Amino acid sequence: MNAIAEISLVLFVTMAINGLKLHELLNLALPLMIILAGQTILMVVFAWAMFFIFGKTYDAVMLCAGGIGFSMGSTANGLANMQAIAEKYGSSPRAWLIISLVGAFLIDLINALLVTWMGAW
């Protein structure tokens, strides 16, 4: 399973980066940097609050790492963050289950339905 997860993550990142046309995004560099700075500040505040709300345990750390990755990109980023921490300090099955279910199933499914609905609207 780990080998399949590693290969899938590498393929996802490679395909995402290769599909970018950076010369077309040059005019958006400054607005994107401002948005990224704001998003980073809000995520740090949210992760700090999540850590205390979830009880200052190792599960809370893993949930925060997954939440940071998820909010800064996608479910794959959150899972990669959690995997990096788990390789050094050990796994947290509860956090893996929550981030996987919420990120991959609930939010991605709802986003797909919402974007389809808004596109047809």
Side-chain angles (χ1 to χ4, degrees), residues 35-49 68 71-72:
I35 291 169
L36 181 62
Q39 183 178 357
T40 302
I41 291 167
L42 287 173
M43 190 55 234
V44 167
V45 171
F46 182 71
W48 182 79
I68 288 170
S71 69
M72 298 302 284

Coordinates of all heavy atoms in Angstrom, one line a residue, residues 35-49 68 71-72:
I35 N -2.8 36.5 -1.6 CA -3.8 35.5 -1.2 C -3.1 34.4 -0.4 O -3.6 33.9 0.6 CB -4.5 35.0 -2.4 CG1 -5.5 36.0 -3.0 CG2 -5.3 33.7 -2.0 CD1 -6.0 35.7 -4.3
L36 N -1.9 33.9 -0.9 CA -1.2 32.9 -0.2 C -0.8 33.3 1.2 O -0.8 32.5 2.2 CB 0.0 32.4 -1.0 CG 0.8 31.3 -0.4 CD1 0.0 30.0 -0.3 CD2 2.1 31.0 -1.3
A37 N -0.3 34.5 1.3 CA 0.1 35.0 2.7 C -1.1 35.1 3.6 O -1.0 34.6 4.8 CB 0.7 36.4 2.5
G38 N -2.2 35.6 3.1 CA -3.4 35.6 4.0 C -3.9 34.2 4.4 O -4.3 33.9 5.5
Q39 N -3.8 33.3 3.4 CA -4.3 31.9 3.6 C -3.3 31.3 4.7 O -3.8 30.5 5.5 CB -4.3 31.1 2.3 CG -4.7 29.7 2.4 CD -4.8 29.0 1.1 OE1 -4.4 29.6 0.0 NE2 -5.1 27.8 1.1
T40 N -2.1 31.5 4.6 CA -1.1 30.9 5.5 C -1.3 31.4 6.9 O -1.3 30.7 7.9 CB 0.4 31.3 5.0 OG1 0.5 30.8 3.7 CG2 1.4 30.6 6.0
I41 N -1.5 32.7 7.1 CA -1.8 33.3 8.4 C -3.1 32.7 9.0 O -3.1 32.3 10.1 CB -1.9 34.8 8.3 CG1 -0.5 35.4 8.0 CG2 -2.4 35.4 9.6 CD1 -0.5 36.9 7.6
L42 N -4.1 32.7 8.2 CA -5.4 32.1 8.7 C -5.2 30.6 9.1 O -5.8 30.1 10.0 CB -6.5 32.3 7.7 CG -7.0 33.7 7.5 CD1 -8.0 33.8 6.3 CD2 -7.7 34.2 8.8
M43 N -4.5 29.9 8.3 CA -4.3 28.4 8.6 C -3.5 28.2 9.8 O -3.8 27.3 10.6 CB -3.6 27.7 7.4 CG -3.6 26.2 7.5 SD -5.3 25.6 7.7 CE -5.1 24.6 9.2
V44 N -2.5 29.0 10.1 CA -1.7 28.9 11.3 C -2.6 29.1 12.5 O -2.6 28.4 13.5 CB -0.5 29.9 11.3 CG1 0.1 30.0 12.7 CG2 0.5 29.4 10.3
V45 N -3.4 30.2 12.4 CA -4.4 30.5 13.5 C -5.4 29.3 13.7 O -5.6 28.8 14.8 CB -5.1 31.8 13.3 CG1 -6.2 32.0 14.3 CG2 -4.1 32.9 13.3
F46 N -5.9 28.8 12.6 CA -6.8 27.7 12.7 C -6.2 26.4 13.2 O -6.8 25.7 14.1 CB -7.4 27.4 11.3 CG -8.4 26.4 11.2 CD1 -9.7 26.5 11.8 CD2 -8.2 25.1 10.7 CE1 -10.7 25.5 11.8 CE2 -9.1 24.1 10.6 CZ -10.4 24.3 11.2
A47 N -5.0 26.1 12.8 CA -4.3 24.9 13.3 C -4.0 25.0 14.7 O -4.1 24.0 15.5 CB -3.0 24.7 12.5
W48 N -3.6 26.2 15.2 CA -3.3 26.4 16.6 C -4.6 26.2 17.4 O -4.5 25.5 18.4 CB -2.8 27.8 16.8 CG -2.4 28.2 18.2 CD1 -1.2 27.8 18.9 CD2 -3.2 28.9 19.1 NE1 -1.3 28.3 20.1 CE2 -2.5 29.0 20.3 CE3 -4.4 29.5 19.1 CZ2 -2.9 29.6 21.5 CZ3 -4.9 30.2 20.2 CH2 -4.1 30.2 21.3
A49 N -5.7 26.7 17.0 CA -6.9 26.5 17.7 C -7.3 25.0 17.6 O -7.8 24.5 18.7 CB -8.0 27.4 17.0
I68 N -3.6 21.4 7.7 CA -2.7 22.4 7.1 C -2.5 22.0 5.6 O -2.7 22.8 4.7 CB -1.4 22.5 7.9 CG1 -1.6 23.2 9.2 CG2 -0.4 23.3 7.0 CD1 -0.4 23.3 10.1
S71 N -5.8 22.4 3.7 CA -6.3 23.7 3.4 C -5.3 24.5 2.5 O -5.7 25.5 1.9 CB -6.4 24.5 4.8 OG -5.1 24.7 5.3
M72 N -4.1 24.1 2.5 CA -3.1 24.8 1.6 C -3.0 24.2 0.2 O -2.2 24.6 -0.6 CB -1.7 24.8 2.3 CG -1.7 25.6 3.6 SD -2.2 27.3 3.5 CE -0.8 28.0 2.7

